[in-house]
Amino acid sequence: MSVNHFNSPDCSNQSIEPARNFFAVCLALTLCFIVYSMLIVVVPVYGLALGASPLMLGVVLSAQYVLPLVLAIPLGGVVTRFGGRATLIAGAGIMVSGLLAMHLWPGFTGLIVGQLLVGLAHLQVVLSAQTIISNLGSGPRLEKYFGWYATWLSGGQVIGPLLAGAMLKSSGTEWVFLVMALFALVSGLVAIRLSGQARERVAVTRTQAGFRAQWQLMLSSRGVQMSVMVTVLGMFALGVYGSYLPVYLESLEVSPVIIGILVSLRAGVAMLIRPFMARIIGLSGGRMPTVCISLIVLAIGIALMGVSEQIMLIAALAVLVGIGSGLTQPLSMVILAEAVERERRAGALGMRLMANRAVHFLAPLLFGLLLELGGFSLAFAASGLLIFLVLLLSIRRFRSAIL
């Protein structure tokens, strides 16, 4: 009877389900990240075509992160209550709506409304996906899951800018938002295949999923504090890089195709390094040393970005940013997932993403102000120095943490 039980359809489905869910989540999120990374190239170029000043461009770029600032933690509770599958599908639908708003409502108003909706949608699909994956394993197995998940997303970040650059060169912004809407629609259709624990709904109270609960968790858990610190510094660097590298290259009269290639290069390097994250952690002596190394590399890449107009040097610095960002984000997710019990995990991931979006909101505004005051060299250098200083202040607090 034990043999029959082992080979029963139920057991077979249990062994197949995690792999199937992992594939569906990765494919759905890759399609969303193609959209997200296309916008990194398209929105600055479109904004400049509309005559935006550096500060106005910063406002447009930051609009995507306004709603996530206030809704990330509540959405964590929503994901827990309704399940990752339902909220992922809903997020893809909201993303389609935002992209259609940009296409059908030309000008700054449509662009900002679209950015608001896409920002909310992106938060929802990422939070849903991370919650689903965080329940698939633990320890080195979870490191591998998140490493490969981040690799898939990097693939989307490689494809997106290249596709955006090619479309901008061939037809401008006429059809690009519609193409992105199609990618988002397919993402929602892929998410329909999610099953099992991805559909599970868990009843949670406000004391487990509300703002106060997450703040108490932040104060009491070194793992959560470490995760938020890593994601804040990593996202600050990516916010600066993604928002203003296209603007910097545009000021150098670089073609949209080359801009797309250079933006994709960072994602390509991140994609190549992420499958080896678990091995790198082992070679570095743990997660804390890996965090320090990755953030130092990231700071150097950002700080030196504005010192030269040579494309090859900019490409080399993009590689450094890719190495640093390739490790920081999956590391942050793994640290948090293992620091929090399952019923509070979606809320904690929402808090992490709220911090993530807060920095994404502030980074373009801060960089835009520095840009007006002292140009690209000062803005990039100050951004890299800020990352390094915060890391130095954080090392003493987390040095003794066992992660």
Side-chain angles (χ1 to χ4, degrees):
M1 290 185 64
S2 61
V3 174
N4 291 336
H5 176 71
F6 180 81
N7 291 313
S8 68
D10 289 342
C11 288
S12 177
N13 288 338
Q14 288 176 3
S15 63
I16 293 173
E17 180 190 294
R20 183 173 58 201
N21 280 349
F22 182 73
F23 175 78
V25 165
C26 288
L27 181 56
L29 265 291
T30 298
L31 292 168
C32 287
F33 267 75
I34 289 175
V35 172
Y36 187 72
S37 55
M38 287 179 74
L39 285 173
I40 289 175
V41 176
V42 172
V43 170
V45 172
Y46 184 42
L48 291 173
L50 294 175
S53 67
L55 194 55
M56 180 61 186
L57 190 59
V59 171
V60 171
L61 294 169
S62 295
Q64 191 176 122
Y65 311 108
V66 172
L67 294 179
L69 278 176
V70 296
L71 295 177
I73 289 176
L75 275 178
V78 171
V79 172
T80 304
R81 292 185 184 97
F82 292 94
R85 175 183 178 272
T87 50
L88 204 164
I89 294 170
I94 296 171
M95 186 172 288
V96 171
S97 301
L99 294 164
L100 290 178
M102 295 184 200
H103 176 77
L104 298 173
W105 198 350
F108 284 117
T109 303
L111 188 59
I112 291 175
V113 170
Q115 284 278 85
L116 287 169
L117 290 174
V118 170
L120 176 62
H122 189 255
L123 167 70
Q124 187 161 318
V125 297
V126 168
L127 182 54
S128 302
Q130 290 179 4
T131 301
I132 292 169
I133 291 176
S134 67
N135 295 327
L136 295 178
S138 62
R141 184 180 181 186
L142 189 62
E143 291 172 358
K144 291 180 181 178
Y145 270 131
F146 272 117
W148 278 106
Y149 163 76
T151 301
W152 276 75
L153 303 193
S154 294
Q157 291 172 313
V158 170
I159 295 169
L162 295 174
L163 181 58
M167 291 196 69
L168 289 174
K169 183 178 181 180
S170 63
S171 59
T173 57
E174 184 177 3
W175 302 107
V176 67
F177 294 119
L178 281 181
V179 171
M180 285 187 268
L182 179 61
F183 278 111
L185 177 62
V186 175
S187 173
L189 296 175
V190 170
I192 293 174
R193 291 184 54 82
L194 290 166
S195 61
Q197 63 91 5
R199 298 184 182 216
E200 288 180 2
R201 302 182 179 191
V202 179
V204 291
T205 63
R206 292 186 63 184
T207 59
Q208 293 175 304
F211 283 95
R212 181 177 296 179
Q214 301 312 320
W215 179 245
Q216 291 173 345
L217 184 62
M218 167 73 83
L219 294 178
S220 62
S221 172
R222 286 288 183 94
V224 173
Q225 293 168 11
M226 180 71 170
S227 173
V228 171
M229 184 275 290
V230 173
T231 196
V232 162
L233 294 184
M235 284 298 105
F236 177 78
L238 291 183
V240 167
Y241 181 90
S243 297
Y244 281 98
L245 180 64
V247 180
Y248 178 48
L249 295 172
E250 181 82 10
S251 72
L252 301 179
E253 299 183 350
V254 175
S255 72
V257 173
I258 300 300
I259 293 175
I261 290 172
L262 289 173
V263 173
S264 292
L265 180 61
R266 193 248 2 134
V269 173
M271 179 178 67
L272 292 175
I273 200 170
R274 281 169 170 170
F276 304 101
M277 185 179 74
R279 186 176 300 177
I280 292 171
I281 291 171
L283 292 174
S284 300
R287 294 176 188 168
M288 184 64 190
T290 308
V291 164
C292 293
I293 293 169
S294 60
L295 287 175
I296 290 171
V297 171
L298 194 57
I300 294 171
I302 291 293
L304 300 179
M305 190 64 68
V307 302
S308 174
E309 298 180 358
Q310 296 296 317
I311 296 300
M312 294 306 297
L313 179 57
I314 294 173
L317 295 172
V319 170
L320 293 183
V321 176
I323 293 171
S325 63
L327 294 173
T328 53
Q329 296 315 299
L331 264 172
S332 174
M333 290 182 278
V334 170
I335 291 168
L336 187 141
E338 293 205 330
V340 182
E341 60 270 21
R342 179 173 179 175
E343 61 270 17
R344 302 184 67 181
R345 199 169 287 158
L349 286 167
M351 177 175 60
R352 172 189 171 275
L353 287 171
M354 184 180 73
N356 181 314
R357 296 306 186 265
V359 173
H360 256 311
F361 173 77
L362 294 172
L365 294 177
L366 175 61
F367 194 93
L369 180 61
L370 290 171
L371 182 59
E372 289 200 346
L373 292 175
F376 282 104
S377 296
L378 172 65
F380 279 119
S383 298
L385 181 61
L386 179 62
I387 295 169
F388 185 71
L389 290 176
V390 174
L391 174 62
L392 286 181
L393 293 174
S394 302
I395 286 176
R396 176 175 295 181
R397 178 169 183 80
F398 298 116
R399 182 177 294 164
S400 61
I402 301 174
L403 298 170

